[in-house]
Structures are given as structure tokens and as C-alpha cells.
Amino acid sequence: MPDTMFHEDEFQIFNISDGDDQEHQTFWHFRKFFLPCMYVAVFICGLVGNSLVLVIYIFYQKLKSLTDIFLMNLPVADLLFVCTLPFWAYAGFHEWVFGDIPCKILLGMYTLNFYTSMLTLTCITVDRFIAVVQATKVYNQKAKRMIWGKAICLSIWVISLLVSLPQIIYANVTHTDKYNCAYDEERLSTMVLSIQLILGFFLPLLTMIICYSVIIKNLFQARSFQKHKSLKIIFLVVAVFLLTQMPFNLVKLICSTNWEYSLMTSFHYAITVTESIAFLRACLNPVLYAFVGLKFRKNFYKLMKDIGCPYFRVSSQGKSSEDAFRTSPSHNADATGMFQLKSHSDG
């Protein structure tokens, strides 16, 4: 999880011990403007994209499948996540002025919804895997899967809250050159970092590798002209996850194994830039997990038309990746074409 905003005191201590004061001053000037600008940009894009997804699911699409439940849970988590960013943007540009209680609440919200988002992405991957491997069974157990989906989403929020408790409890306002919202317990930081790396990166990555490998194998065996579109979406999902999450998690992992890297100004630049890249997931999730679906896009066009946008018309023409994924229980041979954003049970 991006956390440079929570360890600014630590960086300042390291900076004081470094002889190149001018280089560090340049870095802090860069960071003071770069991170708040990124926070605001991600906030605006994430707010618009995830709000659209929620509005469409609430008023147009409804919750008809397990995948719908997960795709509803994801923008809720991302929305709560991005809503904390304006506070961190202000604190990064000035200092923390909101007090101890808001520090605990906002840091808790930030962490809670980070874990919720990542665990939901993991569940979406598993759901797609099951839809491909057990297509007929999925279709016949739609009602049971809906109940399980609601229970899983509730469990995700509970687990996320539990693993966020240390940061909520130990968060406080600290002061060196300025006030910061942070947790500064060394043992806590190590534990938090370990949980972040496992739940926020390695678990989703391992799940994607295993599940998508099987899905790709089934797609290659399927005789569907749409399988190439399906493969492109798989590779896009994995590539976006790796490009946005791997750099920052790799930097954090390196820093945790050798604290001397924290003395290097160039390493501070790496943490700052890769953190901002990791934030982009909140903007990209709506595109990757909702807007590529034909049914969702049609509902989006309906929404735009209803609010008076003349350039949007609902078109019944054209095929999307969702069509490539749709199948019937009587055609198990084509079930491998179901790597979809809407599960088999939608049909």
C-alpha cells in the first residue's frame, strides 16, 4: 500500500544525516508539489469513474449475478479510498491540521479500502476462473452463488477492518519541522508492511497467475473467433496490475531489506513516483472491470441520454468481449469463452 505520506518524519531524520543538503531540499520541493497534484488528479478521475459505475449498477443494471456483487463492491471501496486523498494532498502541501481523531479515521479509511479493493479484485479473478472451469454448475447454482457473494463481500470488509486496526490504533499526529499524520512504531511498521505486501500485492498476483493461466489454456482449446479479444483483456488486466502495483511494492520490499537505501535521495524519488503510479488503480478499475462490458456500456449510454447528452445513443450493433464470454449451459465446449465481466449466470 502506498505509505510515504505516513513516514515523512522518518525521511526527514534520514535527510538531516545526509551531507548533501541541497539535493534533499530539491527532493522535498519536488515531493511537496508532485504528490498533492497526483492525489488531486487521482481523486477527480477516480471519483467520476467509480461514481458512474455505482449509479449505473444502482439505477440501471441491478445486481443479478455474483460478478455484479463484486463489481458493485469494487467502486465502493475505490470511492472511499479516493475520498481520503484531498486530505493527504493538503497535508502534503502544507501540514496535518485536522487533529488526532481525523488522523485515525482517515488513515483507517485509507487502509481499510485499500485492502477491500485488492481483495475484491482477487475475488473477481477467482469468480472468472470458476465461471470457465465449472460453467454448467455456475449456471445451475445462481441463487446460492448470490448468497455466497454477499457473504464474501461482507467478509472482505471485516478482514480489511481487522488488518487496518493497528494503523487506526497507533496513528497519531507527530511533529518535527511540521505536523504529520503517521504511525511511527518500528515493529508496527514491519508488521504492517508484511500484511500490505501479502494482501495488497502477492495474493492478488498469485491468484491472477494461477487462475488466468487456466483460463488462457481453456481459451486456446476453445474454437471461438472471439477468444483473441478475451486473451487481450486478460493480458491487459494483468499488465495494468503489474505496471501500477509492482514498482512501488518492489521499492518497499527493497527498502525493508536494507535500511541504508532510505539514506539515498534517489530512492526517495523512486518511492514518491511509484506511489503515485500505484494510486492509478483507483482510476483504471472502472475501465478494466466495468466499461469493457457491452451490457454496462449500453446502460452507460442510457444514463448519458437520460441526463441530456445528445451525443450518446444506445446502439444494438457491435460485439464486445462480453459477447465472447457468454455461453449457455448446453454448450460446455464453448465455456472457455466465458472470461467475462458478466458471468455465465447473466445469460
Side-chain angles (χ1 to χ4, degrees), residues 5 53 103 129 146 148 164 244 272 316 342:
M5 65 178 71
V53 174
C103 172
F129 169 80
M146 290 289 286
W148 273 104
S164 301
T244 57
T272 301
S316 59
K342 309 307 303 159

Side-chain angles (χ1 to χ4, degrees), residues 56-77:
I56 290 172
Y57 268 100
I58 292 173
F59 296 103
Y60 291 86
Q61 199 148 316
K62 311 301 181 183
L63 301 180
K64 297 180 180 179
S65 71
L66 176 60
T67 307
D68 284 332
I69 295 175
F70 289 143
L71 290 179
M72 183 79 166
N73 203 51
L74 187 60
V76 171

Side-chain angles (χ1 to χ4, degrees), residues 2 38 51 54 59 63 108 150 152 165 173 196 201 204 227 233 249 254 271 304 332:
M38 287 299 301
S51 295
L54 274 182
F59 296 103
L63 301 180
K150 294 175 182 178
I152 291 171
L165 282 179
V173 178
Q196 288 171 0
F201 181 69
K227 71 179 181 181
I233 294 175
N249 283 278
I254 293 173
I271 292 178
M304 293 296 102
N332 287 335

Side-chain angles (χ1 to χ4, degrees), residues 199-219:
L199 294 184
F201 181 69
F202 288 113
L203 178 62
L205 178 61
L206 182 62
T207 304
M208 285 184 179
I209 291 174
I210 295 174
C211 293
Y212 289 160
S213 295
V214 176
I215 291 172
I216 289 172
K217 179 182 176 181
N218 281 271
L219 284 174

